[in-house]
Amino acid sequence: MAADDNRRMTTSLSLDGAAPLPHWGLIRAQGDDAASFLHGQLTNDFSQLGTAEARLAGYCSAKGRLLASFIGWKRSADDILLACSADLLATTQKRLSMFVLRAKCKLSDASGQWRLLGLAGPSADAFLGAAAPTQVWGKSVHGGADVVRLPDVEGARRYLWAAPLDVPSPALPTLDEAAWRLGEVKSGVARIEAATVDQFVPQMLNYEVLGGVDFQKGCYPGQEVVARSQYRGTIKRRSFLFSGPAELKAGQEVFHDADPSQPAGLVVNAASRLALVELKLAALDGGTVHAGAADGPALIREELPYLLPSAETA
């Protein structure tokens, strides 16, 4: 599907300062078996996770559909934090807890005891100094806080800052929450939220491209479906950035004008007029994608900040 370059969203995004993250929550896994338990439940490797790195990971149903997504990191060998969508935290914690059984692992909601902030831009770099993780998904400790390097957006480095409530917040300029959310969407890293539970296998959200799936690890719920999708060439849907003339919302259906009788995809995450949209690859071959209905507002494809397999998106 060719996009009219003159209609692309060209507004640059200025990210600098610290933003509140009320849409994120924090699950804490503690105990001798915390890492091995999560390793057996999530799409990524937690048994080999070091204390200087973080993981993007998904939590799937038996059918391989994502029930939640996480950014996870170790504070120590028996203490792991999982940042996830706040509107899914309670149900996800409850479901995971059902499978702990005899494992030495306790799951708790740490959102009330920890503060999460999004840091970005030159002021964040200056504040963190030499403690800033040098690689995406790297993790460090700074002034009692855990700091995870997130994918950059338009040249601005971004960090997830997490600390107990007794650790002072960084003295940085206030970054508007709406701007941070727009940066999240522009990063192309999907976050499962309540409106999109049980809708996507990880590859539909480009998770294996972003390092969110380890195909060498052992079993986890839905692993056979995820592996089959990867190795049998059955990936027929991917996520792409689109902009529109009106506000878009997670869970909103999108339609292709060549097949108006059924949805061609679903909005995964949205911020104002920009959205990460999961879409049939066939919908990229000519025609127009519309929000909400076949005669709804036309959407314009934007560039992802990373490459997908060329054979799928040609």
Side-chain angles (χ1 to χ4, degrees):
M1 180 185 64
D4 180 352
D5 288 341
N6 293 325
R7 296 170 60 195
R8 288 184 183 274
M9 178 179 281
T10 57
T11 302
S12 61
L13 178 63
S14 177
L15 290 176
D16 187 59
L21 303 179
H23 55 302
W24 284 88
L26 205 58
I27 294 175
R28 192 173 189 178
Q30 295 173 285
D32 291 344
D33 298 332
S36 60
F37 170 72
L38 293 176
H39 185 78
Q41 295 295 318
L42 307 183
T43 61
N44 218 332
D45 186 329
F46 276 76
S47 66
Q48 300 299 317
L49 178 64
T51 56
E53 56 188 334
R55 292 271 196 273
L56 175 68
Y59 180 41
C60 296
S61 70
K63 295 182 178 181
R65 301 276 169 159
L66 285 162
L67 303 175
S69 60
F70 300 106
I71 298 171
W73 65 95
K74 277 184 180 177
R75 304 193 70 238
S76 63
D78 60 356
D79 191 358
I80 299 174
L81 293 175
L82 301 169
C84 67
S85 189
D87 58 5
L88 289 179
L89 190 149
T91 55
T92 303
Q93 179 192 337
K94 181 178 179 180
R95 184 182 178 95
L96 278 170
S97 296
M98 291 170 56
F99 299 99
V100 170
L101 302 177
R102 296 183 180 179
K104 296 178 181 178
C105 177
K106 179 183 179 181
L107 300 173
S108 61
D109 180 355
S111 305
Q113 293 78 47
W114 284 66
R115 183 182 295 108
L116 289 175
L117 295 174
L119 311 186
S123 65
D125 294 336
F127 168 73
L128 295 172
T134 58
Q135 301 293 326
V136 172
W137 305 125
K139 175 251 176 181
S140 64
V141 177
H142 177 269
D146 293 341
V147 180
V148 174
R149 172 84 176 269
L150 303 175
D152 300 354
V153 170
E154 295 187 355
R157 286 183 284 271
R158 299 185 307 136
Y159 309 91
L160 178 63
W161 182 94
L165 295 180
D166 60 355
V167 174
S169 296
L172 297 180
T174 299
L175 176 59
D176 184 65
E177 181 189 337
W180 177 269
R181 288 190 182 228
L182 184 58
E184 287 185 338
V185 175
K186 283 197 171 192
S187 77
V189 181
R191 171 177 53 90
I192 296 296
E193 47 188 301
T196 57
V197 169
D198 206 21
Q199 295 294 321
F200 316 112
V201 297
Q203 290 95 328
M204 293 180 184
L205 303 186
N206 311 332
Y207 263 37
E208 90 289 9
V209 176
L210 296 165
V213 182
D214 187 332
F215 292 103
Q216 307 304 314
K217 69 183 292 271
C219 291
Y220 55 87
Q223 185 260 347
E224 290 185 3
V225 176
V226 176
R228 186 164 60 245
S229 297
Q230 187 72 16
Y231 295 120
R232 292 188 179 180
T234 57
I235 300 173
K236 303 298 183 183
R237 310 175 75 99
R238 285 288 191 185
S239 291
F240 304 91
L241 286 175
F242 283 87
S243 60
E247 183 176 345
L248 299 163
K249 295 182 179 181
Q252 185 176 14
E253 294 178 334
V254 300
F255 292 77
H256 190 258
D257 56 7
D259 186 12
S261 63
Q262 59 182 342
L266 200 69
V267 174
V268 184
N269 302 120
S272 184
R273 299 187 299 107
L274 185 71
L276 187 63
V277 178
E278 178 270 345
L279 190 69
K280 294 178 182 177
L281 293 178
L284 299 174
D285 187 18
T288 309
V289 174
H290 299 260
D295 60 352
L299 301 180
I300 303 301
R301 185 176 167 189
E302 307 283 346
E303 291 186 10
L304 280 169
Y306 50 82
L307 296 176
L308 294 175
S310 57
E312 298 176 357
T313 58

